[in-house]
Amino acid sequence: SYCPHCKHILSWQDLIPIFSFLILKGKCRYCKEKISMQYPLVELTTAILFILVLNYTHSNLLVTGYLLLVTSLLIIIFVYDLKHYLIPDKVIYPAIVSTLIFNFQFLIFKQFPIFKSAILSSLGATIFFLLIFLISRGKWMGFGDVKLVFFMGLFLGFPKNLVSLFFAY
C-alpha cells in the first residue's frame, strides 16, 4: 500500500484498519495530504460484513471461507465499479469460478435441484442482460454487468436472483 498523493510506501503502523486513519487524522504521515474517507468506510464495511458472515455460518468452515471470499470480491467490485464504472475481469472471473466450484458440491451430494436452480437462474438473467447489452450496443449497460448477473445467478439461485435484480433496478 502507498499514499495516493506522494506514492510513499506505507509502513505497518499506517495500515491498521480504521485506527491508522483516526490516529493520523485522515492525513498521510509523510506528505500530510488528506486521505479519502473511502478507505476507513471500506474497512468498517468489510469488518461488519465479515462479522455478519461469521455469525451466519457459525462453524461450517467450507461455507464460511466461501462466503468470506465472495464478500471480499463483491466489496472490490462495488468500490471499483463505483469509482471507475468498470467491473474488473480479474475479480469477477474468480467470483464466478469459485461459485461454480462451490455449487458443484450440490451435484456431488445429489442435491440436483439446488444446482439446477443456480445454473438456470444464472443463464436466464444473463441472457436477459446480454440482450439489453446487444440491443443498446453497450450504451445502457456494460458487458461487466452481464458477467456480474451471471455470477449473481450462480450465487443466489432462483428466486433470490430475481428479487436482487428487482431491487437493483
Side-chain angles (χ1 to χ4, degrees):
S1 294
Y2 58 88
C3 171
H5 302 289
C6 68
K7 309 293 186 219
H8 191 280
I9 294 174
L10 303 177
S11 63
W12 69 267
Q13 68 263 24
D14 301 326
L15 298 173
I16 302 168
I18 302 167
F19 294 110
S20 292
F21 186 85
L22 295 173
I23 291 167
L24 295 171
K25 298 178 183 149
K27 295 182 180 182
C28 172
R29 178 186 307 273
Y30 309 99
C31 69
K32 307 296 184 223
E33 288 288 326
K34 191 173 180 178
I35 303 294
S36 170
M37 278 296 291
Q38 167 194 327
Y39 297 100
L41 287 175
V42 169
E43 291 166 354
L44 181 62
T45 302
T46 302
I48 291 168
L49 290 173
F50 275 30
I51 289 167
L52 290 172
V53 166
L54 292 171
N55 190 42
Y56 172 77
T57 58
H58 303 293
S59 61
N60 188 329
L61 195 57
L62 177 67
V63 174
T64 301
Y66 167 69
L67 290 177
L68 289 174
L69 172 66
V70 168
T71 300
S72 301
L73 294 171
L74 285 173
I75 289 167
I76 294 167
I77 289 168
F78 174 77
V79 172
Y80 198 87
D81 190 27
L82 191 64
K83 201 169 188 176
H84 302 285
Y85 300 106
L86 288 170
I87 298 173
D89 287 345
K90 61 175 118 180
V91 181
I92 193 65
Y93 288 144
I96 291 169
V97 169
S98 62
T99 302
L100 278 170
I101 291 168
F102 184 80
N103 283 342
F104 192 68
Q105 73 171 322
F106 296 118
L107 275 181
I108 293 170
F109 295 111
K110 298 186 180 8
Q111 295 176 315
F112 188 69
I114 296 172
F115 183 78
K116 184 176 141 186
S117 166
I119 297 297
L120 291 177
S121 173
S122 183
L123 291 175
T126 302
I127 290 168
F128 177 71
F129 273 66
L130 182 60
L131 286 172
I132 293 172
F133 173 77
L134 292 173
I135 290 168
S136 72
R137 295 188 178 121
K139 292 179 184 166
W140 299 341
M141 69 175 49
F143 195 68
D145 295 309
V146 176
K147 293 180 264 188
L148 181 62
V149 165
F150 182 74
F151 161 72
M152 287 173 52
L154 290 174
F155 181 68
L156 297 171
F158 183 81
K160 293 176 189 168
N161 189 33
L162 207 53
V163 173
S164 72
L165 292 174
F166 175 78
F167 282 112
Y169 263 94

PDB file of all heavy atoms in Angstrom, residues 87-114:
ATOM      1  N   ILE A  87     -16.263  -3.258 -14.030  1.00  0.00           N
ATOM      2  CA  ILE A  87     -16.158  -4.446 -13.184  1.00  0.00           C
ATOM      3  C   ILE A  87     -14.971  -5.238 -13.724  1.00  0.00           C
ATOM      4  O   ILE A  87     -15.051  -5.798 -14.815  1.00  0.00           O
ATOM      5  CB  ILE A  87     -17.455  -5.271 -13.209  1.00  0.00           C
ATOM      6  CG1 ILE A  87     -18.615  -4.435 -12.657  1.00  0.00           C
ATOM      7  CG2 ILE A  87     -17.281  -6.564 -12.434  1.00  0.00           C
ATOM      8  CD1 ILE A  87     -19.966  -5.066 -12.785  1.00  0.00           C
ATOM      9  N   PRO A  88     -13.864  -5.258 -12.972  1.00  0.00           N
ATOM     10  CA  PRO A  88     -12.643  -5.893 -13.497  1.00  0.00           C
ATOM     11  C   PRO A  88     -12.787  -7.410 -13.657  1.00  0.00           C
ATOM     12  O   PRO A  88     -13.287  -8.100 -12.779  1.00  0.00           O
ATOM     13  CB  PRO A  88     -11.571  -5.555 -12.469  1.00  0.00           C
ATOM     14  CG  PRO A  88     -12.265  -4.976 -11.297  1.00  0.00           C
ATOM     15  CD  PRO A  88     -13.674  -4.666 -11.666  1.00  0.00           C
ATOM     16  N   ASP A  89     -12.320  -7.912 -14.814  1.00  0.00           N
ATOM     17  CA  ASP A  89     -12.359  -9.350 -15.084  1.00  0.00           C
ATOM     18  C   ASP A  89     -11.578 -10.142 -14.041  1.00  0.00           C
ATOM     19  O   ASP A  89     -11.973 -11.241 -13.675  1.00  0.00           O
ATOM     20  CB  ASP A  89     -11.788  -9.648 -16.478  1.00  0.00           C
ATOM     21  CG  ASP A  89     -12.730  -9.221 -17.585  1.00  0.00           C
ATOM     22  OD1 ASP A  89     -13.925  -8.962 -17.306  1.00  0.00           O
ATOM     23  OD2 ASP A  89     -12.270  -9.122 -18.746  1.00  0.00           O
ATOM     24  N   LYS A  90     -10.448  -9.576 -13.578  1.00  0.00           N
ATOM     25  CA  LYS A  90      -9.621 -10.320 -12.625  1.00  0.00           C
ATOM     26  C   LYS A  90     -10.292 -10.475 -11.266  1.00  0.00           C
ATOM     27  O   LYS A  90      -9.786 -11.179 -10.409  1.00  0.00           O
ATOM     28  CB  LYS A  90      -8.224  -9.743 -12.502  1.00  0.00           C
ATOM     29  CG  LYS A  90      -8.119  -8.339 -12.026  1.00  0.00           C
ATOM     30  CD  LYS A  90      -6.659  -7.957 -11.844  1.00  0.00           C
ATOM     31  CE  LYS A  90      -6.267  -6.835 -12.749  1.00  0.00           C
ATOM     32  NZ  LYS A  90      -4.882  -6.432 -12.615  1.00  0.00           N
ATOM     33  N   VAL A  91     -11.463  -9.848 -11.079  1.00  0.00           N
ATOM     34  CA  VAL A  91     -12.232 -10.029  -9.846  1.00  0.00           C
ATOM     35  C   VAL A  91     -13.507 -10.830 -10.118  1.00  0.00           C
ATOM     36  O   VAL A  91     -13.846 -11.734  -9.349  1.00  0.00           O
ATOM     37  CB  VAL A  91     -12.587  -8.662  -9.202  1.00  0.00           C
ATOM     38  CG1 VAL A  91     -13.353  -8.852  -7.916  1.00  0.00           C
ATOM     39  CG2 VAL A  91     -11.334  -7.840  -8.958  1.00  0.00           C
ATOM     40  N   ILE A  92     -14.207 -10.532 -11.203  1.00  0.00           N
ATOM     41  CA  ILE A  92     -15.474 -11.217 -11.473  1.00  0.00           C
ATOM     42  C   ILE A  92     -15.254 -12.676 -11.878  1.00  0.00           C
ATOM     43  O   ILE A  92     -16.028 -13.550 -11.488  1.00  0.00           O
ATOM     44  CB  ILE A  92     -16.351 -10.458 -12.508  1.00  0.00           C
ATOM     45  CG1 ILE A  92     -17.780 -11.008 -12.534  1.00  0.00           C
ATOM     46  CG2 ILE A  92     -15.750 -10.510 -13.892  1.00  0.00           C
ATOM     47  CD1 ILE A  92     -18.556 -10.815 -11.269  1.00  0.00           C
ATOM     48  N   TYR A  93     -14.194 -12.961 -12.630  1.00  0.00           N
ATOM     49  CA  TYR A  93     -13.951 -14.352 -13.029  1.00  0.00           C
ATOM     50  C   TYR A  93     -13.628 -15.261 -11.839  1.00  0.00           C
ATOM     51  O   TYR A  93     -14.180 -16.367 -11.757  1.00  0.00           O
ATOM     52  CB  TYR A  93     -12.875 -14.442 -14.112  1.00  0.00           C
ATOM     53  CG  TYR A  93     -13.348 -13.954 -15.472  1.00  0.00           C
ATOM     54  CD1 TYR A  93     -12.501 -13.278 -16.327  1.00  0.00           C
ATOM     55  CD2 TYR A  93     -14.659 -14.151 -15.900  1.00  0.00           C
ATOM     56  CE1 TYR A  93     -12.933 -12.824 -17.571  1.00  0.00           C
ATOM     57  CE2 TYR A  93     -15.099 -13.701 -17.132  1.00  0.00           C
ATOM     58  CZ  TYR A  93     -14.233 -13.032 -17.962  1.00  0.00           C
ATOM     59  OH  TYR A  93     -14.663 -12.586 -19.186  1.00  0.00           O
ATOM     60  N   PRO A  94     -12.788 -14.841 -10.880  1.00  0.00           N
ATOM     61  CA  PRO A  94     -12.611 -15.691  -9.689  1.00  0.00           C
ATOM     62  C   PRO A  94     -13.913 -15.872  -8.896  1.00  0.00           C
ATOM     63  O   PRO A  94     -14.147 -16.940  -8.331  1.00  0.00           O
ATOM     64  CB  PRO A  94     -11.565 -14.939  -8.862  1.00  0.00           C
ATOM     65  CG  PRO A  94     -10.807 -14.142  -9.853  1.00  0.00           C
ATOM     66  CD  PRO A  94     -11.804 -13.755 -10.916  1.00  0.00           C
ATOM     67  N   ALA A  95     -14.769 -14.858  -8.888  1.00  0.00           N
ATOM     68  CA  ALA A  95     -16.062 -14.992  -8.202  1.00  0.00           C
ATOM     69  C   ALA A  95     -16.912 -16.054  -8.893  1.00  0.00           C
ATOM     70  O   ALA A  95     -17.521 -16.906  -8.230  1.00  0.00           O
ATOM     71  CB  ALA A  95     -16.791 -13.645  -8.178  1.00  0.00           C
ATOM     72  N   ILE A  96     -16.939 -16.016 -10.222  1.00  0.00           N
ATOM     73  CA  ILE A  96     -17.716 -16.999 -10.985  1.00  0.00           C
ATOM     74  C   ILE A  96     -17.157 -18.403 -10.790  1.00  0.00           C
ATOM     75  O   ILE A  96     -17.895 -19.347 -10.491  1.00  0.00           O
ATOM     76  CB  ILE A  96     -17.756 -16.615 -12.475  1.00  0.00           C
ATOM     77  CG1 ILE A  96     -18.605 -15.354 -12.677  1.00  0.00           C
ATOM     78  CG2 ILE A  96     -18.290 -17.772 -13.328  1.00  0.00           C
ATOM     79  CD1 ILE A  96     -18.500 -14.736 -14.060  1.00  0.00           C
ATOM     80  N   VAL A  97     -15.844 -18.550 -10.926  1.00  0.00           N
ATOM     81  CA  VAL A  97     -15.212 -19.869 -10.817  1.00  0.00           C
ATOM     82  C   VAL A  97     -15.388 -20.447  -9.413  1.00  0.00           C
ATOM     83  O   VAL A  97     -15.751 -21.617  -9.253  1.00  0.00           O
ATOM     84  CB  VAL A  97     -13.717 -19.806 -11.212  1.00  0.00           C
ATOM     85  CG1 VAL A  97     -12.987 -21.091 -10.858  1.00  0.00           C
ATOM     86  CG2 VAL A  97     -13.583 -19.498 -12.697  1.00  0.00           C
ATOM     87  N   SER A  98     -15.162 -19.632  -8.387  1.00  0.00           N
ATOM     88  CA  SER A  98     -15.308 -20.144  -7.014  1.00  0.00           C
ATOM     89  C   SER A  98     -16.760 -20.534  -6.730  1.00  0.00           C
ATOM     90  O   SER A  98     -17.009 -21.520  -6.033  1.00  0.00           O
ATOM     91  CB  SER A  98     -14.800 -19.122  -5.994  1.00  0.00           C
ATOM     92  OG  SER A  98     -15.552 -17.931  -6.059  1.00  0.00           O
ATOM     93  N   THR A  99     -17.708 -19.814  -7.290  1.00  0.00           N
ATOM     94  CA  THR A  99     -19.119 -20.142  -7.074  1.00  0.00           C
ATOM     95  C   THR A  99     -19.502 -21.409  -7.839  1.00  0.00           C
ATOM     96  O   THR A  99     -20.261 -22.235  -7.319  1.00  0.00           O
ATOM     97  CB  THR A  99     -20.011 -18.953  -7.477  1.00  0.00           C
ATOM     98  OG1 THR A  99     -19.606 -17.824  -6.704  1.00  0.00           O
ATOM     99  CG2 THR A  99     -21.472 -19.231  -7.182  1.00  0.00           C
ATOM    100  N   LEU A 100     -18.977 -21.576  -9.041  1.00  0.00           N
ATOM    101  CA  LEU A 100     -19.210 -22.833  -9.768  1.00  0.00           C
ATOM    102  C   LEU A 100     -18.652 -24.026  -8.987  1.00  0.00           C
ATOM    103  O   LEU A 100     -19.308 -25.053  -8.853  1.00  0.00           O
ATOM    104  CB  LEU A 100     -18.573 -22.767 -11.156  1.00  0.00           C
ATOM    105  CG  LEU A 100     -19.365 -22.059 -12.241  1.00  0.00           C
ATOM    106  CD1 LEU A 100     -18.515 -21.860 -13.484  1.00  0.00           C
ATOM    107  CD2 LEU A 100     -20.635 -22.822 -12.578  1.00  0.00           C
ATOM    108  N   ILE A 101     -17.438 -23.863  -8.481  1.00  0.00           N
ATOM    109  CA  ILE A 101     -16.820 -24.940  -7.701  1.00  0.00           C
ATOM    110  C   ILE A 101     -17.643 -25.221  -6.439  1.00  0.00           C
ATOM    111  O   ILE A 101     -17.906 -26.379  -6.105  1.00  0.00           O
ATOM    112  CB  ILE A 101     -15.359 -24.591  -7.343  1.00  0.00           C
ATOM    113  CG1 ILE A 101     -14.503 -24.604  -8.604  1.00  0.00           C
ATOM    114  CG2 ILE A 101     -14.799 -25.556  -6.295  1.00  0.00           C
ATOM    115  CD1 ILE A 101     -13.118 -23.995  -8.428  1.00  0.00           C
ATOM    116  N   PHE A 102     -18.064 -24.159  -5.757  1.00  0.00           N
ATOM    117  CA  PHE A 102     -18.868 -24.344  -4.543  1.00  0.00           C
ATOM    118  C   PHE A 102     -20.191 -25.037  -4.875  1.00  0.00           C
ATOM    119  O   PHE A 102     -20.624 -25.936  -4.156  1.00  0.00           O
ATOM    120  CB  PHE A 102     -19.124 -22.997  -3.860  1.00  0.00           C
ATOM    121  CG  PHE A 102     -19.867 -23.117  -2.568  1.00  0.00           C
ATOM    122  CD1 PHE A 102     -19.210 -23.479  -1.410  1.00  0.00           C
ATOM    123  CD2 PHE A 102     -21.232 -22.880  -2.503  1.00  0.00           C
ATOM    124  CE1 PHE A 102     -19.883 -23.601  -0.207  1.00  0.00           C
ATOM    125  CE2 PHE A 102     -21.927 -23.004  -1.308  1.00  0.00           C
ATOM    126  CZ  PHE A 102     -21.242 -23.362  -0.155  1.00  0.00           C
ATOM    127  N   ASN A 103     -20.833 -24.612  -5.961  1.00  0.00           N
ATOM    128  CA  ASN A 103     -22.120 -25.214  -6.345  1.00  0.00           C
ATOM    129  C   ASN A 103     -21.976 -26.647  -6.822  1.00  0.00           C
ATOM    130  O   ASN A 103     -22.942 -27.419  -6.781  1.00  0.00           O
ATOM    131  CB  ASN A 103     -22.813 -24.375  -7.424  1.00  0.00           C
ATOM    132  CG  ASN A 103     -23.456 -23.136  -6.852  1.00  0.00           C
ATOM    133  OD1 ASN A 103     -23.692 -23.036  -5.660  1.00  0.00           O
ATOM    134  ND2 ASN A 103     -23.729 -22.177  -7.704  1.00  0.00           N
ATOM    135  N   PHE A 104     -20.781 -27.013  -7.274  1.00  0.00           N
ATOM    136  CA  PHE A 104     -20.549 -28.375  -7.739  1.00  0.00           C
ATOM    137  C   PHE A 104     -20.785 -29.396  -6.628  1.00  0.00           C
ATOM    138  O   PHE A 104     -21.172 -30.531  -6.894  1.00  0.00           O
ATOM    139  CB  PHE A 104     -19.139 -28.512  -8.315  1.00  0.00           C
ATOM    140  CG  PHE A 104     -18.926 -29.783  -9.064  1.00  0.00           C
ATOM    141  CD1 PHE A 104     -19.573 -30.013 -10.262  1.00  0.00           C
ATOM    142  CD2 PHE A 104     -18.074 -30.761  -8.571  1.00  0.00           C
ATOM    143  CE1 PHE A 104     -19.388 -31.197 -10.960  1.00  0.00           C
ATOM    144  CE2 PHE A 104     -17.879 -31.943  -9.256  1.00  0.00           C
ATOM    145  CZ  PHE A 104     -18.535 -32.166 -10.454  1.00  0.00           C
ATOM    146  N   GLN A 105     -20.600 -28.984  -5.384  1.00  0.00           N
ATOM    147  CA  GLN A 105     -20.845 -29.892  -4.245  1.00  0.00           C
ATOM    148  C   GLN A 105     -22.289 -30.377  -4.221  1.00  0.00           C
ATOM    149  O   GLN A 105     -22.586 -31.477  -3.768  1.00  0.00           O
ATOM    150  CB  GLN A 105     -20.499 -29.210  -2.929  1.00  0.00           C
ATOM    151  CG  GLN A 105     -21.527 -28.147  -2.536  1.00  0.00           C
ATOM    152  CD  GLN A 105     -21.334 -27.618  -1.147  1.00  0.00           C
ATOM    153  OE1 GLN A 105     -21.002 -28.367  -0.253  1.00  0.00           O
ATOM    154  NE2 GLN A 105     -21.560 -26.331  -0.993  1.00  0.00           N
ATOM    155  N   PHE A 106     -23.209 -29.552  -4.724  1.00  0.00           N
ATOM    156  CA  PHE A 106     -24.613 -29.955  -4.726  1.00  0.00           C
ATOM    157  C   PHE A 106     -24.852 -31.115  -5.691  1.00  0.00           C
ATOM    158  O   PHE A 106     -25.731 -31.938  -5.476  1.00  0.00           O
ATOM    159  CB  PHE A 106     -25.523 -28.773  -5.058  1.00  0.00           C
ATOM    160  CG  PHE A 106     -25.461 -27.684  -4.027  1.00  0.00           C
ATOM    161  CD1 PHE A 106     -25.014 -26.418  -4.359  1.00  0.00           C
ATOM    162  CD2 PHE A 106     -25.834 -27.923  -2.716  1.00  0.00           C
ATOM    163  CE1 PHE A 106     -24.942 -25.409  -3.408  1.00  0.00           C
ATOM    164  CE2 PHE A 106     -25.762 -26.933  -1.752  1.00  0.00           C
ATOM    165  CZ  PHE A 106     -25.317 -25.677  -2.098  1.00  0.00           C
ATOM    166  N   LEU A 107     -24.059 -31.187  -6.764  1.00  0.00           N
ATOM    167  CA  LEU A 107     -24.139 -32.343  -7.663  1.00  0.00           C
ATOM    168  C   LEU A 107     -23.543 -33.575  -6.999  1.00  0.00           C
ATOM    169  O   LEU A 107     -24.097 -34.663  -7.090  1.00  0.00           O
ATOM    170  CB  LEU A 107     -23.390 -32.057  -8.960  1.00  0.00           C
ATOM    171  CG  LEU A 107     -24.134 -31.318 -10.055  1.00  0.00           C
ATOM    172  CD1 LEU A 107     -23.245 -31.141 -11.267  1.00  0.00           C
ATOM    173  CD2 LEU A 107     -25.406 -32.022 -10.429  1.00  0.00           C
ATOM    174  N   ILE A 108     -22.405 -33.376  -6.338  1.00  0.00           N
ATOM    175  CA  ILE A 108     -21.724 -34.493  -5.689  1.00  0.00           C
ATOM    176  C   ILE A 108     -22.614 -35.132  -4.625  1.00  0.00           C
ATOM    177  O   ILE A 108     -22.692 -36.348  -4.508  1.00  0.00           O
ATOM    178  CB  ILE A 108     -20.384 -34.028  -5.078  1.00  0.00           C
ATOM    179  CG1 ILE A 108     -19.422 -33.633  -6.198  1.00  0.00           C
ATOM    180  CG2 ILE A 108     -19.769 -35.115  -4.203  1.00  0.00           C
ATOM    181  CD1 ILE A 108     -18.165 -32.941  -5.717  1.00  0.00           C
ATOM    182  N   PHE A 109     -23.304 -34.287  -3.858  1.00  0.00           N
ATOM    183  CA  PHE A 109     -24.152 -34.802  -2.776  1.00  0.00           C
ATOM    184  C   PHE A 109     -25.594 -35.003  -3.220  1.00  0.00           C
ATOM    185  O   PHE A 109     -26.510 -35.028  -2.414  1.00  0.00           O
ATOM    186  CB  PHE A 109     -24.063 -33.881  -1.559  1.00  0.00           C
ATOM    187  CG  PHE A 109     -22.695 -33.866  -0.942  1.00  0.00           C
ATOM    188  CD1 PHE A 109     -21.903 -32.739  -1.028  1.00  0.00           C
ATOM    189  CD2 PHE A 109     -22.193 -34.997  -0.316  1.00  0.00           C
ATOM    190  CE1 PHE A 109     -20.633 -32.727  -0.475  1.00  0.00           C
ATOM    191  CE2 PHE A 109     -20.920 -34.994   0.237  1.00  0.00           C
ATOM    192  CZ  PHE A 109     -20.138 -33.863   0.162  1.00  0.00           C
ATOM    193  N   LYS A 110     -25.795 -35.114  -4.535  1.00  0.00           N
ATOM    194  CA  LYS A 110     -27.082 -35.444  -5.133  1.00  0.00           C
ATOM    195  C   LYS A 110     -28.197 -34.473  -4.745  1.00  0.00           C
ATOM    196  O   LYS A 110     -29.322 -34.867  -4.470  1.00  0.00           O
ATOM    197  CB  LYS A 110     -27.470 -36.884  -4.810  1.00  0.00           C
ATOM    198  CG  LYS A 110     -26.486 -37.902  -5.368  1.00  0.00           C
ATOM    199  CD  LYS A 110     -26.955 -39.296  -5.168  1.00  0.00           C
ATOM    200  CE  LYS A 110     -26.099 -40.375  -5.671  1.00  0.00           C
ATOM    201  NZ  LYS A 110     -24.859 -40.287  -6.169  1.00  0.00           N
ATOM    202  N   GLN A 111     -27.842 -33.188  -4.700  1.00  0.00           N
ATOM    203  CA  GLN A 111     -28.840 -32.141  -4.462  1.00  0.00           C
ATOM    204  C   GLN A 111     -29.028 -31.379  -5.775  1.00  0.00           C
ATOM    205  O   GLN A 111     -28.794 -30.185  -5.866  1.00  0.00           O
ATOM    206  CB  GLN A 111     -28.399 -31.220  -3.331  1.00  0.00           C
ATOM    207  CG  GLN A 111     -28.329 -31.929  -1.993  1.00  0.00           C
ATOM    208  CD  GLN A 111     -27.795 -31.025  -0.913  1.00  0.00           C
ATOM    209  OE1 GLN A 111     -26.811 -30.314  -1.105  1.00  0.00           O
ATOM    210  NE2 GLN A 111     -28.433 -31.062   0.238  1.00  0.00           N
ATOM    211  N   PHE A 112     -29.458 -32.119  -6.800  1.00  0.00           N
ATOM    212  CA  PHE A 112     -29.558 -31.584  -8.153  1.00  0.00           C
ATOM    213  C   PHE A 112     -30.469 -30.357  -8.259  1.00  0.00           C
ATOM    214  O   PHE A 112     -30.138 -29.423  -8.986  1.00  0.00           O
ATOM    215  CB  PHE A 112     -30.015 -32.678  -9.114  1.00  0.00           C
ATOM    216  CG  PHE A 112     -29.968 -32.248 -10.550  1.00  0.00           C
ATOM    217  CD1 PHE A 112     -28.747 -32.035 -11.186  1.00  0.00           C
ATOM    218  CD2 PHE A 112     -31.130 -32.042 -11.264  1.00  0.00           C
ATOM    219  CE1 PHE A 112     -28.694 -31.620 -12.502  1.00  0.00           C
ATOM    220  CE2 PHE A 112     -31.086 -31.631 -12.583  1.00  0.00           C
ATOM    221  CZ  PHE A 112     -29.860 -31.426 -13.208  1.00  0.00           C
ATOM    222  N   PRO A 113     -31.611 -30.288  -7.545  1.00  0.00           N
ATOM    223  CA  PRO A 113     -32.467 -29.096  -7.690  1.00  0.00           C
ATOM    224  C   PRO A 113     -31.766 -27.785  -7.321  1.00  0.00           C
ATOM    225  O   PRO A 113     -32.001 -26.757  -7.966  1.00  0.00           O
ATOM    226  CB  PRO A 113     -33.638 -29.378  -6.746  1.00  0.00           C
ATOM    227  CG  PRO A 113     -33.695 -30.861  -6.644  1.00  0.00           C
ATOM    228  CD  PRO A 113     -32.267 -31.327  -6.739  1.00  0.00           C
ATOM    229  N   ILE A 114     -30.895 -27.805  -6.333  1.00  0.00           N
ATOM    230  CA  ILE A 114     -30.178 -26.585  -5.940  1.00  0.00           C
ATOM    231  C   ILE A 114     -29.205 -26.182  -7.042  1.00  0.00           C
ATOM    232  O   ILE A 114     -29.142 -25.018  -7.434  1.00  0.00           O
ATOM    233  CB  ILE A 114     -29.439 -26.787  -4.598  1.00  0.00           C
ATOM    234  CG1 ILE A 114     -30.451 -27.030  -3.477  1.00  0.00           C
ATOM    235  CG2 ILE A 114     -28.557 -25.586  -4.276  1.00  0.00           C
ATOM    236  CD1 ILE A 114     -29.833 -27.433  -2.153  1.00  0.00           C
TER     237      ILE A 114
END
